[in-house]
Amino acid sequence: MKDEGVGTTITQHILSQQRENPHATGAFTTLLNELVVAAKVISREVNKAGLVDILGATGTINVQDEQVQKLDLFANQVIIQRMQHIGELCCMGSEEDPDLIEISSQYPRGDYILLFDPLDGSSNIDVNVSIGTIFGIYKRPPGDKNREILLNDVLQLGIKQMAAGYFIYGSSTIMVYTTGAGTGVHGFTLFPSVGEFLLSHKDIKTPERGKIYSVNEGNYQYWDTKTRALIDHFKTRDAKAGGPCSSRYVGSLVADFHRNLLKGGIFMYPADKKDPKKPSGKLRLMVEANPLAMVAREAGGYASNGHGPILDIDPGALHQRTPLYIGSKKDVELAEAVISGKKKL
Ligand code: AFP
């Protein structure tokens, strides 16, 4: 991978990673390649979303008298349909489906588990703000491969992810992913004219401390005093400590995270009292926090729930929610110290 430069395709990159692993079977390569194809299909559809006024908004009837499918459901279906036939997955889990998604019996099963949020930031679809797909890949626990896969097999610590990443459908379509273990975080941009993702961001490293804080401050009244003090700190931090920070928040986790990854900063979705049913905030551990936490860690950043690493949380449910503090290491460490009560501001 040392000689890789701009122009390296995602397929070349995945294959060269496979060659560096003497135990690789090619299964993982097949899996990632198919995910890339699914993302290209979603990207094409997202790009058409700007034409809603001409073609009919999602959920309505278009000029051909067809029902226009909601984009998040479309993305969900594309991923399920494309991924289940390759024979490398034993099950999937999606933000859109309450239960595990079984692999249809007509296809062979493999050892991998794919968890994903098909279209994160869906409230931004109709207003042309970047949205994305987030994914994390795990291996089923060793043992009898013919045994039916159970929810417990899927509820693994984030640290056990074999790969994680995201696609952003924005001013261009970008894929960022890592296979962990020091292999780095790499970004690939889709060149529509050639239909390929080409290496554009090699070995991304995030700044240790950033100048951006990203949070929905409309929730201020629902936060506890520690959370309020933390956000006030980022706004008023003195220049010597790299402040004051700028506020940037578009409401698509994947887009807010990506910007902060490249520029440095912290994204926060704290616990709040807005909805008694969601005391841990809004974001989902398995399909949002864990994959991005792995990317952040591999890029030199950190992700915490305010008390410890996201990647060490033992999940109790597929759709478990978690507070999330993620981004530049020093900023997230400070957030953790404040929220856990170790440091007073
Ligand atoms: P939607 O997919 O429902 O738009 O939610 C997006 C999201 O899960 C995440 O991408 C954002 O960071 C966060 O929610 C925004 O939530 P608020 O609207 O409460 O700020």
Side-chain angles (χ1 to χ4, degrees), residues 78-99:
V78 168
I79 295 176
I80 295 171
Q81 281 166 7
R82 290 223 69 96
M83 299 308 292
Q84 70 169 342
H85 77 93
I86 57 170
E88 308 299 354
L89 293 174
C90 55
C91 74
M92 290 180 258
S94 163
E95 204 243 9
E96 294 289 341
D97 290 271
D99 301 315

Side-chain angles (χ1 to χ4, degrees), residues 33 52 56 69 86-87 101 108 111 137 144 167 177 203 329:
N33 272 329
V52 285
Q69 201 178 21
I86 57 170
I101 303 159
D111 289 338
I137 299 169
D144 179 7
F167 297 87
Y177 90 108
D203 200 11
K329 195 161 191 255

Side-chain angles (χ1 to χ4, degrees), residues 119-123 216 219 249 251-253 267 269 282-283 288:
L119 215 50
D120 175 64
S122 45
S123 62
N216 182 348
N219 290 332
Y249 188 80
S252 285
L253 170 62
F267 174 96
Y269 209 111
K282 183 179 178 190
L283 302 182
E288 293 179 307

Side-chain angles (χ1 to χ4, degrees), residues 34-66:
E34 198 62 22
L35 198 55
V36 166
V37 176
K40 285 184 194 171
V41 176
I42 298 168
S43 174
R44 188 209 51 194
E45 209 63 18
V46 168
N47 287 342
K48 283 201 314 210
L51 297 169
V52 285
D53 289 343
I54 304 160
L55 300 176
T58 50
T60 65
I61 303 294
N62 70 12
V63 285
Q64 283 91 34
D65 250 7
E66 297 158 340

Side-chain angles (χ1 to χ4, degrees), residues 59-331:
T60 65
I61 303 294
N62 70 12
V63 285
Q64 283 91 34
D65 250 7
E66 297 158 340
Q67 178 79 24
V68 183
Q69 201 178 21
K70 280 178 108 16
L71 258 185
D72 39 8
L73 299 182
F74 171 83
N76 197 41
Q77 267 182 23
V78 168
I79 295 176
I80 295 171
Q81 281 166 7
R82 290 223 69 96
M83 299 308 292
Q84 70 169 342
H85 77 93
I86 57 170
E88 308 299 354
L89 293 174
C90 55
C91 74
M92 290 180 258
S94 163
E95 204 243 9
E96 294 289 341
D97 290 271
D99 301 315
L100 285 180
I101 303 159
E102 286 179 21
I103 303 301
S104 164
S105 55
Q106 59 185 301
Y107 304 116
R109 289 175 196 201
D111 289 338
Y112 291 99
I113 299 164
L114 173 67
L115 301 185
F116 60 96
D117 182 351
L119 215 50
D120 175 64
S122 45
S123 62
N124 280 325
I125 293 173
D126 294 339
V127 288
N128 268 17
V129 174
S130 301
I131 48 184
T133 299
I134 307 176
F135 64 91
I137 299 169
Y138 297 78
K139 233 177 172 174
R140 69 178 291 168
D144 179 7
K145 294 206 172 153
N146 296 318
R147 179 176 66 74
E148 195 195 335
I149 193 97
L150 303 169
L151 182 59
N152 253 345
D153 300 320
V154 174
L155 297 178
Q156 303 182 29
L157 305 184
I159 197 87
K160 295 207 170 152
Q161 287 170 110
M162 309 293 297
Y166 54 85
F167 297 87
I168 299 185
Y169 315 107
S171 48
S172 50
T173 295
I174 289 188
M175 175 194 189
V176 173
Y177 90 108
T178 181
T179 49
T183 55
V185 175
H186 307 284
F188 298 80
T189 302
L190 180 62
F191 279 61
S193 51
V194 285
E196 274 287 5
F197 279 94
L198 303 182
L199 183 63
S200 52
H201 300 73
K202 193 177 174 180
D203 200 11
I204 298 169
K205 293 288 173 228
T206 196
E208 256 205 328
R209 180 174 278 145
K211 288 204 73 156
I212 296 174
Y213 75 101
S214 309
V215 69
N216 182 348
E217 283 197 80
N219 290 332
Y220 197 88
Q221 58 174 314
Y222 306 113
W223 293 335
D224 63 16
T225 48
K226 285 189 257 182
T227 309
R228 289 181 187 182
L230 177 69
I231 277 75
D232 291 344
H233 163 83
F234 286 117
K235 290 203 270 203
T236 56
R237 169 154 101 180
D238 66 32
K240 269 191 267 157
C245 296
S246 296
S247 165
R248 296 282 183 275
Y249 188 80
V250 298
S252 285
L253 170 62
V254 78
D256 281 315
F257 172 81
H258 183 68
R259 180 201 52 242
N260 293 2
L261 180 76
L262 298 183
K263 297 194 168 189
I266 181 169
F267 174 96
M268 298 169 274
Y269 209 111
D272 61 48
K273 298 191 198 88
K274 192 173 180 182
D275 181 348
K277 282 194 234 130
K278 299 176 194 163
S280 296
K282 183 179 178 190
L283 302 182
R284 293 174 202 239
L285 175 65
M286 304 296 285
V287 296
E288 293 179 307
N290 269 338
L292 299 187
M294 182 173 179
V295 172
R297 195 179 79 144
E298 195 64 22
Y302 179 45
S304 168
N305 67 351
H307 298 274
I310 286 287
L311 293 172
D312 289 348
I313 297 175
D314 197 359
L318 187 58
H319 294 288
Q320 180 168 324
R321 295 179 197 266
T322 179
L324 178 64
Y325 302 85
I326 189 167
S328 292
K329 195 161 191 255
K330 291 217 153 124
D331 293 331

